[in-house]
Amino acid sequence: MGGGMSSTVAKRAMVLLLGLAMLAVCGLGTAQAAILRIGGTGAATELMKRLGAAFERHEPGVTVEVIPGLGSSGAISATMDGALDIAVSARPLKKAEAEAGLASAPFARTPYGMVTSHPNPGDIAAADLAAFFASVTSTWPDGTPVRVILRPLSESDTALLGATFPGMAEALDQVRARPDVSVAATDQDNLDMAADVDGSLVGTSLAQVVTEGRRLQFLSIDGVAPSVEAVEAGRYPYVKLFHMVLADAPDPHVARFITFIRSDAGVAILREAACLPITN
């Protein structure tokens, strides 16, 4: 998307989200028996389950169903068709999706980096990471071979990884040409394979590792380990955004859910899940 399109979509999304919040404050979304259906990127599945469970306690009579396995594109399509109330996407809307009547705005950011099953991966310079990722002779400090795992070419995390670190897009192309490299279909497969393969190396978010209780180790980059505090202080610049995608005329309970996410209780859950809220 060009800059104009991106700006227009963001403004439209914020107008919609703010309008929904005003409805919730005014009490127009009064709690009643209802089901709120949410789905999207696997990296945020457990996060949304935590938020959903807390919202159910906050709003008696509302049930939150978090549908797993849809991915960003699948959830966006389901929201467009009315099968979901909210899609949680790891990417912004495409032009055609916005033109179909959807609005999107980022609501949280989480540290993004490289994890491994190796217990002591050490530190690496950001400028060296792409070469380390691509080389067939890379090893961990104790000599264990590095075993790279990829995501599908069409997956949003592939684009994110390629854009996050210098030279990584080219490194990904090199690695993808190797017949010995495994490809993980979903976010959960990615971390399952990372845990099962000795010396693994994959890109992922801190939020997913934390909320799923994964026993994987992040590399520190330029001497800084990924953490909410490091991102907040500007010492760790690598992040993944979670976008909330809505239809133009969502269910009234969506308004109350958005307001809850922005409340003190919602922000506390986001931070416990290694996420920083985005409110503007």
Side-chain angles (χ1 to χ4, degrees):
M1 288 193 299
M5 177 64 188
S6 179
S7 176
T8 299
V9 170
K11 289 179 180 177
R12 179 166 165 264
M14 288 310 301
V15 168
L16 176 59
L17 294 179
L18 290 172
L20 287 170
M22 289 177 65
L23 287 177
V25 170
C26 292
L28 296 183
T30 303
Q32 53 184 321
I35 297 175
L36 191 62
R37 295 180 175 87
I38 303 171
T41 177
T45 297
E46 292 302 319
L47 167 64
M48 300 315 293
K49 287 180 180 179
R50 292 184 182 190
L51 288 167
F55 183 66
E56 288 177 345
R57 295 191 292 271
H58 186 263
E59 296 284 336
V62 178
T63 298
V64 178
E65 291 185 357
V66 179
I67 314 299
L70 296 178
S72 297
S73 295
I76 289 170
S77 179
T79 302
M80 194 182 305
D81 293 340
L84 286 182
D85 298 295
I86 298 172
V88 180
S89 176
R91 62 167 175 82
L93 289 176
K94 298 176 182 177
K95 181 179 179 181
E97 293 164 343
E99 290 176 344
L102 298 179
S104 170
F107 71 94
R109 56 186 175 136
T110 181
Y112 181 82
M114 308 300 296
V115 299
T116 175
S117 59
H118 194 280
N120 298 296
D123 180 72
I124 191 167
D128 297 335
L129 183 55
F132 180 72
F133 189 88
S135 176
V136 296
T137 60
S138 291
T139 61
W140 297 108
D142 65 353
T144 300
V146 171
R147 304 298 184 195
V148 172
I149 298 167
L150 296 179
R151 302 300 309 283
L153 187 60
S154 61
E155 171 61 40
S156 59
D157 262 21
T158 297
L160 175 61
L161 180 57
T164 297
F165 302 106
M168 186 59 80
E170 294 79 7
L172 286 167
D173 289 340
Q174 293 177 39
V175 174
R176 199 169 296 278
R178 287 163 45 187
D180 62 311
V181 174
S182 300
V183 178
T186 69
D187 287 332
Q188 278 66 43
D189 291 339
N190 189 43
L191 296 194
D192 286 344
M193 293 172 69
D196 291 341
V197 173
D198 289 340
S200 59
L201 180 62
V202 308
T204 191
S205 67
L206 183 58
Q208 185 182 356
V209 171
V210 167
T211 58
E212 294 183 6
R214 300 285 187 160
R215 294 183 177 180
L216 294 166
Q217 307 300 318
F218 275 91
L219 282 78
S220 61
I221 300 175
D222 293 329
V224 182
S227 69
V228 167
E229 293 75 19
V231 169
E232 207 165 22
R235 294 185 293 108
Y236 190 89
Y238 314 112
V239 298
K240 179 173 186 171
L241 299 182
F242 293 138
H243 303 256
M244 187 171 294
V245 180
L246 312 173
D248 268 340
D251 184 281
H253 292 88
V254 171
R256 301 184 74 87
F257 184 71
I258 292 170
T259 299
F260 175 76
I261 289 177
R262 293 178 169 179
S263 70
D264 290 346
V267 168
I269 293 169
L270 287 174
R271 294 187 70 94
E272 288 170 3
C275 291
L276 286 168
I278 300 172
T279 57
N280 54 18

